[in-house]
Amino acid sequence: MFVLAIETSCDDTGAAVLLNGRRILSNVVSSQVSVHQKYGGVVPELASRKHIEMIVPIVTEALEEAGIRLKEIHGIAVTQGPGLVGSLLVGLSFAKSLALAARLPFVGVNHIEAHLSAIFLEEEPPRFPFIGLVVSGGHTSLFRMDGFGKLKRLGQTRDDAAGEAFDKVAKLLGLGYPGGPIIDQLSMTSSTKPIRFPRACLGKGSFDFSFSGVKTAVVNFVKAHPWSPEGLSEEMVRNIVAGFQEAVVDVLVKKTIQAAQHEGLKRVVVSGGVAANRLLRWRMAEEASQKKMRVYIPSPIFCTDNAAMVGVVGYEYLKRGMRAPLSLNAFSNLPL
Ligand code: KG4
Ligand code: ZN
């Protein structure tokens, strides 16, 4: 079964063609980083406007690259939420129009389920059930996943998403956007003395997260050490970002492992943009192997927003005979 998948939940316009939900024939992503860079974060209205420009060329490119004509496609999968509603509506309206014009079935896909399902694009995916950590610019949540469509949320962030905290700290220090990869890189070149910042545990047994405290601690630290005429020394900036990264990664790793122990599971999947972080990948693997668990993390191109991961879930739903009505709406807080 050939599935055309479309993803426009945030600031990347993505389209992919998959064979039987696993084999990628094309996976095209147009990044909007250059549009949002100067604002230090995604500007929702600009994101929707860019999607409306890019959606037709990106879908056309995905079909061409796959060497598949529209009439050979069996169904369409599109992200329905959560995300920025203006962005979601562009992809959803386009998918509906295409489904109507080409008389194709289509299904809406939850973006979070798609992130966790990106691991099925890899050679050796895990068996169900597993613990899933979705950690990106918009989300930080822990799940137990028992199958497609069978997810139980165990915890989530009460304020900032982890990636959002990376982006805000980088902006504060004038390092650029998006902050995650920059902080990841700077911390690698560091740093004999990372600054110790607080970790929010939120009570015993809680699988919720909070990252606004560590972000505020960085703000206060910078205020307490006023900019010298030359600015903060490079060494000091490295110590700050390395300390911040350690604080965030510590909590992510600890809670994920605890959730796996709590649910009696030995398999852990980590996905979303922040899963590209090298310290997180390394620490998660290390902790898990000590506890005789196995960690599965998709390659970085499948961790960040892309349409192939939407196609994985869409295929499973279409195969089961699920069909969305042409009245399907987009929701910024679509529940699982
Ligand atoms: O999944 P994604 O592409 O989009 C959302 O759905 O949010 O994630 C983007 C986020 C940004 O906040 C970015 O700073 C963060 O992922 N990110 C990283 C790294 N690469 C991307 N954070 C930490 N370390 C990285 N290497
Ligand atoms: Zn995402």
Side-chain angles (χ1 to χ4, degrees):
M1 187 196 281
F2 291 118
V3 170
L4 170 67
I6 295 173
E7 153 66 38
T8 63
S9 67
C10 187
D11 61 337
D12 294 309
T13 318
V17 178
L18 266 72
L19 172 61
N20 294 337
R22 295 288 187 278
R23 220 185 110 209
I24 298 176
L25 303 183
S26 63
N27 186 22
V28 185
V29 182
S30 162
S31 161
Q32 299 183 4
V33 164
S34 60
V35 176
H36 304 286
Q37 213 153 29
K38 57 178 172 289
Y39 306 100
V42 177
V43 182
E45 186 182 327
L46 295 182
S48 333
R49 288 179 181 281
K50 200 68 194 167
H51 285 308
I52 210 95
E53 272 174 36
M54 297 312 294
I55 188 78
V56 174
I58 291 299
V59 170
T60 307
E61 194 180 327
L63 287 167
E64 274 171 8
E65 208 183 296
I68 299 286
R69 282 167 300 167
L70 188 56
K71 64 177 182 204
E72 293 172 278
I73 294 286
H74 297 101
I76 300 177
V78 60
T79 307
Q80 186 197 354
L84 301 170
V85 83
S87 292
L88 290 163
L89 286 172
V90 176
L92 181 57
S93 305
F94 182 79
K96 286 206 256 184
S97 317
L98 205 57
L100 183 65
R103 295 170 191 270
L104 287 172
F106 87 103
V107 285
V109 169
N110 185 298
H111 183 73
I112 303 288
E113 182 169 16
H115 267 306
L116 285 176
S117 305
I119 196 65
F120 294 99
L121 296 165
E122 300 290 354
E123 289 278 318
E124 279 185 59
R127 279 182 295 116
F128 291 116
F130 55 74
I131 289 295
L133 172 70
V134 180
V135 64
S136 72
H139 312 279
T140 303
S141 304
L142 267 170
F143 295 90
R144 176 194 169 105
M145 189 163 180
D146 284 274
F148 293 103
K150 289 190 193 146
L151 287 107
K152 185 171 107 189
R153 196 195 304 269
L154 305 172
Q156 63 186 317
T157 182
R158 296 186 186 170
D159 39 59
D160 291 347
E164 191 181 355
F166 270 95
D167 295 339
K168 286 178 178 169
V169 164
K171 186 176 180 182
L172 169 80
L173 294 167
L175 298 174
Y177 173 83
I182 299 168
I183 289 178
D184 186 346
Q185 184 58 35
L186 264 180
S187 306
M188 290 291 282
T189 61
S190 92
S191 168
T192 44
K193 278 183 263 134
I195 313 291
R196 183 158 175 102
F197 291 113
R199 279 92 166 132
C201 286
L202 305 173
K204 206 165 180 284
S206 167
F207 298 124
D208 280 351
F209 299 95
S210 166
F211 296 108
S212 68
V214 59
K215 183 192 66 191
T216 309
V218 174
V219 172
N220 290 340
F221 184 89
V222 172
K223 274 194 196 144
H225 297 77
W227 299 72
S228 65
E230 311 82 53
L232 283 178
S233 72
E234 268 181 42
E235 176 68 7
M236 181 58 96
V237 170
R238 276 202 295 267
N239 290 342
I240 294 172
V241 295
F244 161 79
Q245 179 175 271
E246 275 183 11
V248 173
V249 166
D250 250 14
V251 181
L252 291 172
V253 172
K254 195 168 143 201
K255 297 223 171 194
T256 305
I257 300 292
Q258 281 173 353
Q261 287 172 323
H262 180 263
E263 294 292 317
L265 298 179
K266 292 276 182 202
R267 292 177 291 274
V268 168
V269 171
V270 185
S271 195
V274 181
N277 184 273
R278 281 170 285 183
L279 184 68
L280 177 62
R281 295 173 86 98
W282 176 67
R283 287 276 320 280
M284 196 69 87
E286 192 187 45
E287 280 299 312
S289 87
Q290 276 179 19
K291 303 278 186 313
K292 306 264 180 298
M293 294 176 187
R294 180 152 174 210
V295 178
Y296 299 79
I297 308 182
S299 335
I301 47 157
F302 301 137
C303 282
T304 48
D305 287 350
N306 67 88
M309 66 186 192
V310 177
V312 174
V313 183
Y315 163 75
E316 297 292 333
Y317 287 170
L318 288 162
K319 193 174 67 175
R320 291 178 195 175
M322 282 169 65
R323 306 287 183 254
L326 282 169
S327 57
L328 191 78
N329 213 336
F331 295 97
S332 57
N333 283 316
L334 183 73
L336 273 159

